[in-house]
Amino acid sequence: MRVLVTGGAGFIGSHVVEALAAGGHEPVVYDVRTDPGSDVRDLDAVRRALSGVDAVSHQAAMVGLGSGFADAVEYVSRNDLGTAVLLTAMADAGVPRIVLAGSMVVYGEGRYDCARHGVVRPGPRAVADLTAGRFEPRCPACGAELSPGLVGEDAPVDPRNVYATTKLAQEHLAAAWARVTGGSAVSLRYHNVYGPRMPRDTPYAGVAAFFRSALARGEAPGVFEDGRQRRDFVHVRDVAAANVAALQAACPPGALVAYNTGSGEPHTVGEMARALAAAYGGPEPVVTGEYRLGDVRHITADSSRLRSELGWKPEVGFADGMREFARSGLRGQ
């Protein structure tokens, strides 16, 4: 299978390229990092790149929190206009399959259970609560403490920042393309991806890369809030393997299927910082109490659908992955 990998020179994309090649496929890298003319928003360039292609792994995106509106136009241009251009070219060329780099940010907050009211959906956290160090969402019906759980793909979506909104729009565009063309579309809703080749200190790097960069400078990682916020840290090679599985799967035509792509092992941000610092041999993390508007408290995945339907399973455990990440190099932007 000949697969165009947009963003194929980036953090996740480069691992997808390697996984495809290892599986006997022919990856074609399309990335502005290696060729300034490879802009996914350039319809003519994308059409040329799709020549002889059987499927697309769409990793190109502007990533990050996007909590304000200063970068809104750029996010929408790179993520949504870029996806629309790509899908238009695919429709013209008759390329029948796309696997999209989705994101768990489309859910907003994760799943919460109230002892009295069952599953509830707390609204955005108030600035006054965050400033006072009250980080845990409360039941919107009775104000009681909540128990966080795993989010399934059928949970309502609630994007809470610009980046999250563009990631959901990408899914809607791919679903519309699939309905019109009869093609198959898969969105892999990545959780917190980490591993070799993460970009160092940039506004769009994941928290793992910020902690790793701090350790490389001899500084203690600064952990926001109280460090107890739960995430699902999934290794980049496992994410790459999920892309290959999705590209090879017999997915239904005319529709988009979403799969959570996580390790299935929730860990707190503080836990991750301590594991990384211990593996690196650097200073202990410092809990700062700072916060970012637009961040959610807990978001962890139920990835059982991906396991059962595509036969995928993560291979890199948390402890081993953090030890490897502590030794691996970061890349510049």
Side-chain angles (χ1 to χ4, degrees), residues 19-32:
L20 283 167
H25 302 292
E26 181 186 355
V28 178
V29 174
Y30 188 86
D31 197 306
V32 291

Side-chain angles (χ1 to χ4, degrees), residues 112-120 139-147:
Y112 292 89
D113 289 277
C114 172
R116 285 183 59 194
H117 296 97
V119 178
V120 296
C139 176
C142 66
E145 293 183 3
L146 299 173
S147 299

Side-chain angles (χ1 to χ4, degrees), residues 26-182:
E26 181 186 355
V28 178
V29 174
Y30 188 86
D31 197 306
V32 291
R33 295 174 184 84
T34 54
D35 178 3
S38 295
D39 191 325
V40 76
R41 296 167 292 184
D42 185 332
L43 182 57
D44 290 336
V46 174
R47 281 177 170 151
R48 290 192 295 271
L50 286 171
S51 177
V53 162
D54 303 301
V56 173
S57 172
H58 185 30
Q59 306 297 317
M62 182 176 178
V63 300
L65 180 62
S67 58
F69 252 80
D71 293 333
V73 172
E74 194 69 10
Y75 271 106
V76 172
S77 175
R78 291 181 181 273
N79 296 354
D80 298 337
L81 175 60
T83 299
V85 169
L86 173 64
L87 293 168
T88 298
M90 289 176 64
D92 292 344
V95 178
R97 171 165 298 200
I98 184 169
V99 173
L100 176 70
S103 175
M104 52 79 179
V105 295
V106 300
Y107 297 117
E109 282 284 356
R111 176 192 169 103
Y112 292 89
D113 289 277
C114 172
R116 285 183 59 194
H117 296 97
V119 178
V120 296
R121 294 186 58 76
R125 296 180 293 172
V127 172
D129 286 337
L130 293 170
T131 303
R134 295 187 293 269
F135 302 119
E136 293 289 346
R138 295 279 178 158
C139 176
C142 66
E145 293 183 3
L146 299 173
S147 299
L150 300 180
V151 179
E153 291 90 347
D154 297 328
V157 291
D158 184 18
R160 296 190 175 183
N161 55 58
V162 171
Y163 170 63
T165 302
T166 65
K167 296 307 289 182
L168 183 57
Q170 285 183 301
E171 290 192 358
H172 287 314
L173 287 166
W177 165 86
R179 285 193 295 270
V180 169
T181 65

Side-chain angles (χ1 to χ4, degrees), residues 65-320:
L65 180 62
S67 58
F69 252 80
D71 293 333
V73 172
E74 194 69 10
Y75 271 106
V76 172
S77 175
R78 291 181 181 273
N79 296 354
D80 298 337
L81 175 60
T83 299
V85 169
L86 173 64
L87 293 168
T88 298
M90 289 176 64
D92 292 344
V95 178
R97 171 165 298 200
I98 184 169
V99 173
L100 176 70
S103 175
M104 52 79 179
V105 295
V106 300
Y107 297 117
E109 282 284 356
R111 176 192 169 103
Y112 292 89
D113 289 277
C114 172
R116 285 183 59 194
H117 296 97
V119 178
V120 296
R121 294 186 58 76
R125 296 180 293 172
V127 172
D129 286 337
L130 293 170
T131 303
R134 295 187 293 269
F135 302 119
E136 293 289 346
R138 295 279 178 158
C139 176
C142 66
E145 293 183 3
L146 299 173
S147 299
L150 300 180
V151 179
E153 291 90 347
D154 297 328
V157 291
D158 184 18
R160 296 190 175 183
N161 55 58
V162 171
Y163 170 63
T165 302
T166 65
K167 296 307 289 182
L168 183 57
Q170 285 183 301
E171 290 192 358
H172 287 314
L173 287 166
W177 165 86
R179 285 193 295 270
V180 169
T181 65
S184 66
V186 171
S187 177
L188 297 175
R189 290 175 175 170
Y190 301 161
H191 280 247
N192 291 72
V193 186
Y194 74 97
R197 299 179 217 146
M198 278 195 87
R200 68 180 69 250
D201 293 316
T202 77
Y204 312 116
V207 66
F210 277 109
F211 292 166
R212 176 68 175 73
S213 296
L215 289 166
R217 296 191 301 269
E219 300 171 4
V223 180
F224 280 13
E225 300 187 16
D226 57 4
R228 295 175 186 167
Q229 54 272 47
R230 288 158 45 108
R231 296 292 187 268
D232 186 320
F233 299 99
V234 58
H235 196 277
V236 66
R237 287 197 299 274
D238 288 330
V239 169
N243 274 270
V244 176
L247 286 162
Q248 296 176 152
C251 295
L256 177 136
V257 182
Y259 292 104
N260 287 332
T261 308
S263 70
E265 299 179 5
H267 292 274
T268 69
V269 172
E271 236 183 309
M272 186 270 285
R274 290 190 296 273
L276 190 57
Y280 189 85
E284 283 283 309
V286 174
V287 176
T288 68
E290 296 174 83
Y291 62 86
R292 297 190 304 180
L293 285 176
D295 269 351
V296 297
R297 178 61 173 172
H298 305 295
I299 177 71
T300 52
D302 177 356
S303 299
S304 58
R305 179 186 291 179
L306 181 58
R307 293 170 184 248
S308 62
E309 294 187 8
L310 301 191
W312 170 89
K313 63 175 181 159
E315 301 289 345
V316 183
F318 179 77
D320 289 342

